[in-house]
């Protein structure tokens, strides 16, 4: 992620969205969570409309909801504006981010050790740091199944300083 360059509509469409999960909307069907491949702070959910009235009013049966840093952003234009502002880190996020290594480590072992060290669960904090582009995850083959690994994003500490951390 180029933290100092301005993000534009062209920057967004130059990248792609990757499948990052699925949601169940019950009888209305499922939704897909997408994460931008080059702007990790940007994600979207494609979901079915909530009811027949919404479908009729909007003229579509599926909607795309954009989000930045894990929060709803409204339109793509609103999301682009939000991306041009550094992410805001909470004290808990800063405390965890400072402990995430720059090199890849197995997520479960890291999360368990850090939770014991800090005396609290850190899983949700790690998730919000990922949504803000400060940590990266990837799945790697493991003995029983694919295992998640984690590292601090290369520019995460610079992002934190820019955000006043």
């Amino acid at each position: 992620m180029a933290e100092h360059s301005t993000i534009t509509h062209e920057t967004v469409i130059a990248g792609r969205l990757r499948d990052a999960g699925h949601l169940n909307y019950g009888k209305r069907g499922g939704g897909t969570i997408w994460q931008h491949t080059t702007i990790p702070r940007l994600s979207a959910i494609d979901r079915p409309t909530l009811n027949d009235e919404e479908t009729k009013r909007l003229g579509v049966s599926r909607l795309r909801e954009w989000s930045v840093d894990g929060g709803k952003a409204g339109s793509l234009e609103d999301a682009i504006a939000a991306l041009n502002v550094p992410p805001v880190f909470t004290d808990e996020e800063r405390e965890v981010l400072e402990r995430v290594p720059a090199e890849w480590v197995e997520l479960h072992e890291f999360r368990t050790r850090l939770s014991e060290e800090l005396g609290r669960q850190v899983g949700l904090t790690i998730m919000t740091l990922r949504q803000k582009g400060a940590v990266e995850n990837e799945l790697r083959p493991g003995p029983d199944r694919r295992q998640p690994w984690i590292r601090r994003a290369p520019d995460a500490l610079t992002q934190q300083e820019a955000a006043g951390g």
Side-chain angles (χ1 to χ4, degrees):
M1 181 169 89
E3 78 182 82
H4 292 297
S5 60
T6 300
I7 295 174
T8 65
H9 189 268
E10 290 73 27
T11 311
V12 172
I13 62 172
R16 295 183 20 228
L17 295 173
R18 69 170 180 80
D19 187 334
H22 299 272
L23 300 168
N24 183 353
Y25 285 93
K27 294 178 182 177
R28 302 291 303 174
T32 304
I33 304 168
W34 302 98
Q35 183 177 25
H36 199 276
T37 55
T38 58
I39 307 169
R41 295 175 57 204
L42 179 62
S43 59
I45 294 176
D46 286 345
R47 68 163 179 85
T49 53
L50 298 175
N51 52 49
D52 293 336
E53 293 80 32
E54 186 178 43
T55 301
K56 186 180 265 187
R57 181 173 48 86
L58 298 174
V60 296
S61 62
R62 299 191 63 74
L63 297 174
R64 174 160 286 172
E65 297 176 344
W66 292 98
S67 64
V68 173
D69 299 340
K72 285 188 178 182
S75 68
L76 179 56
E77 291 73 25
D78 293 339
I80 291 168
L83 288 166
N84 284 296
V85 176
V88 176
F89 297 101
T90 66
D91 291 342
E92 284 185 0
E93 289 169 337
R94 281 192 285 276
E95 182 179 42
V96 170
L97 181 58
E98 290 168 355
R99 290 169 170 81
V100 177
E103 301 302 320
W104 290 102
V105 296
E106 197 274 326
L107 175 60
H108 178 73
E109 292 173 9
F110 169 76
R111 185 179 58 220
T112 301
R113 181 182 48 76
L114 187 56
S115 291
E116 290 172 0
E117 178 185 325
L118 297 177
R120 61 180 166 83
Q121 295 296 311
V122 297
L124 288 176
T125 305
I126 290 171
M127 182 187 75
T128 61
L129 287 169
R130 183 189 57 76
Q131 291 172 328
K132 293 178 180 183
V135 299
E136 299 174 335
N137 291 94
E138 73 176 36
L139 291 175
R140 294 184 176 181
D144 299 324
R145 57 183 167 72
R146 295 177 59 83
Q147 296 176 318
W149 285 62
I150 186 173
R151 75 172 178 182
R152 184 175 58 239
D155 63 349
L157 295 179
T158 308
Q159 278 183 5
Q160 184 176 342
E161 291 166 5

